Amino acid sequence: MLETGELQSAGIMFDYHYVSPQQLAGFDKYKYSAVDTNPLSVYVMQLLWNQMVKAVPLWIAPNLLTFSGFLLILINYFLLCCYDWDYKASDVGSQHIPGWVWGVSGLTTFSAYALDSIDGKHARRTQSSSPLGELFDHGLDSWATSIFTLSLFSVFGISPGRSVSAYTFYYVLWIILFTFLLSHWEKYNTGVLFLPWGYDISQVTLTGVYLLTAVVGVEAWYRPLHFGYFFADILIAMVIGCSAFLSMPQTLYNIYQACKNGTIKRSSIYEGLLPLLSPCLLFALLTAWAMASPGDVLAQHPRLFLWMTGVAFSNVTCRLIICQMTSTRSEAFHWLLLPLSVITIGVSTGLVVKSEILVLVGYTVLVTAAHVHYGVCVGKQLAEHLNICVFSLEKRYQKSAH
């Protein structure tokens, strides 16, 4: 058992206040505002979620549903890591991932999708809706977006014969991450969260791909189609198409409408574009590292590099989510970009050669630890400020009763 001193040290470790007093005041005034126009969501999935949420016991905290879904995503990811660490298990001549693993992937993906979709409904049922619940949900979504994507990559795998490389995965991941970022950048400027159409489509597609793979085998995805194209090519085209012709135009149109109607939240173009600075710098620095790497670090260690990319992006995005919820100014430069800049310069100038893998591992550990610390501290600080508990309704009622 932990001694009292150890418990106090753990408490102090997670007692850092990342949220400013101005942001706490913003949370006190916050009211949820979102618009969902996706036909799949409105006319199909919402009907299913309305029935499923009725089966959830009223004593369960909504955040527990959210976190359980995130854990399922992590379990699925690490399960695939065990069978496909280097993304080459699906290549010709390799030992393929067992069919039952794909079945588990399909079930965990849909279960996580369901839990993420009913947590807000359950919060309204239990009258426990709070800014912390929304922040918890969207913050975990910002991390889950990369984990979903990294798990799906195991279906297609790295294969020179199909022109699928670690660089293909890297650029597809960034397109998906920026698509997620757009909705929160949009809310930062308009004050309204326009739920992206791609979310429900992607989750249903993911579930279907996993379950179909479990039945017909992963080889079915590798048969060349007409004109020499593969299913991986179709996937990439869909991702780029959804971002370029659906998400981006919709975001820009909604911001234009806010400017036209005089409801825009930011006073200048610079202020409106400010949240995009750190994500763009993150992309530029990581791309420069990968391209200049003497040991081709992205190709040799795709799991580590892509995981680090997703976690760093999530931390940057979480800070934007807090700013858009509290109507406060976004930071211009994320501190994680400073050591990354040093690494990139070291790699580009040849100072980091033999130790590059150690640098990658070290920075990945730093980014992951910093992100977990940030999430725990923010959750703890906001829960104390709002006088609620993160994972319990009973404690919340007991605290408010005294």
Side-chain angles (χ1 to χ4, degrees):
M1 295 180 65
L2 291 174
E3 299 293 337
T4 302
E6 293 175 325
L7 289 172
Q8 290 176 344
S9 298
I12 294 174
M13 182 187 302
F14 294 105
D15 203 33
Y16 187 84
H17 289 177
Y18 285 101
V19 184
S20 68
Q22 182 185 7
Q23 290 173 331
L24 290 176
F27 277 120
D28 290 335
K29 303 174 185 177
Y30 178 74
K31 290 184 179 180
Y32 181 62
S33 178
V35 176
D36 188 359
T37 58
N38 181 7
L40 176 61
S41 172
V42 174
Y43 299 111
V44 180
M45 304 312 300
Q46 291 298 332
L47 301 179
L48 176 61
W49 308 142
N50 288 336
Q51 296 303 314
M52 288 185 64
V53 73
K54 296 177 182 178
V56 181
L58 292 175
W59 55 267
I60 292 181
N63 287 339
L64 194 58
L65 299 178
T66 309
F67 192 62
S68 297
F70 180 73
L71 288 180
L72 287 175
I73 298 169
L74 275 180
I75 291 171
N76 179 52
Y77 173 77
F78 289 123
L79 176 63
L80 288 170
C81 283
C82 293
Y83 286 93
D84 186 27
W85 174 253
D86 57 1
Y87 286 117
K88 295 180 180 178
S90 299
D91 198 9
V92 178
S94 300
Q95 184 64 41
H96 288 176
I97 301 171
W100 68 266
V101 174
W102 298 121
V104 170
S105 296
L107 292 175
T108 54
T109 298
F110 185 79
S111 298
Y113 172 36
L115 290 169
D116 185 48
S117 299
I118 66 175
D119 54 2
K121 296 180 182 296
H122 185 63
R124 290 185 286 274
R125 287 175 73 221
T126 55
Q127 298 181 349
S128 57
S129 299
S130 71
L132 174 59
E134 182 181 341
L135 177 61
F136 194 74
D137 187 1
H138 293 162
L140 288 179
D141 284 346
S142 70
W143 194 354
T145 299
S146 64
I147 301 175
F148 272 128
T149 308
L150 299 186
S151 297
L152 178 64
F153 286 161
S154 286
V155 174
F156 298 97
I158 293 174
S159 173
R162 289 178 277 113
S163 301
V164 178
S165 68
Y167 290 88
T168 306
F169 288 167
Y170 174 74
Y171 292 120
V172 169
L173 174 63
W174 266 111
I175 292 171
I176 293 173
L177 294 179
F178 269 118
T179 301
F180 178 88
L181 177 72
L182 284 177
S183 60
H184 293 283
W185 173 63
E186 181 180 2
K187 188 180 180 184
Y188 179 82
N189 284 282
T190 66
V192 180
L193 180 64
F194 294 88
L195 299 176
W197 282 27
Y199 175 68
D200 292 276
I201 297 172
S202 66
Q203 296 304 298
V204 172
T205 302
L206 276 174
T207 302
V209 167
Y210 286 137
L211 295 180
L212 187 60
T213 304
V215 175
V216 303
V218 73
E219 297 87 355
W221 302 107
Y222 307 147
R223 298 191 184 99
L225 303 173
H226 294 294
F227 309 109
Y229 290 102
F230 295 88
F231 277 106
D233 301 317
I234 296 177
L235 174 68
I236 294 171
M238 288 178 59
V239 169
I240 296 174
C242 286
S243 177
F245 301 108
L246 193 63
S247 297
M248 177 65 80
Q250 186 180 37
T251 294
L252 295 177
Y253 175 77
N254 290 332
I255 292 177
Y256 166 75
Q257 286 294 109
C259 292
K260 183 179 178 181
N261 298 331
T263 58
I264 196 73
K265 296 292 183 180
R266 304 301 156 183
S267 58
S268 65
I269 295 177
Y270 171 77
E271 291 295 329
L273 295 176
L274 191 60
L276 300 181
L277 180 58
S278 284
C280 288
L281 285 174
L282 179 64
F283 171 71
L285 289 170
L286 288 176
T287 304
W289 180 1
M291 299 300 290
S293 171
D296 202 2
V297 67
L298 175 55
Q300 296 301 317
H301 308 282
R303 280 280 178 189
L304 283 177
F305 200 93
L306 296 175
W307 170 270
M308 174 265 292
T309 299
V311 178
F313 170 86
S314 178
N315 196 259
V316 171
T317 305
C318 282
R319 295 168 188 265
L320 168 59
I321 293 172
I322 289 179
C323 290
Q324 55 98 336
M325 290 182 67
T326 58
S327 298
T328 53
R329 188 174 187 264
S330 174
E331 64 179 3
F333 187 83
H334 193 292
W335 72 269
L336 283 174
L337 297 175
L338 182 58
L340 180 58
S341 301
V342 174
I343 293 171
T344 303
I345 293 173
V347 170
S348 301
T349 56
L351 296 177
V352 177
V353 180
K354 294 182 180 180
S355 60
E356 187 176 11
I357 178 57
L358 296 178
V359 172
L360 173 62
V361 171
Y363 188 68
T364 301
V365 171
L366 170 65
V367 168
T368 305
H371 190 45
V372 172
H373 184 265
Y374 180 81
V376 174
C377 288
V378 169
K380 184 173 180 288
Q381 182 185 1
L382 197 53
E384 291 175 353
H385 176 75
L386 298 174
N387 196 34
I388 59 178
C389 295
V390 179
F391 295 117
S392 172
L393 292 178
E394 291 184 2
K395 292 181 179 179
R396 172 178 178 263
Y397 296 145
Q398 291 171 3
K399 286 180 70 175
S400 62
H402 288 296

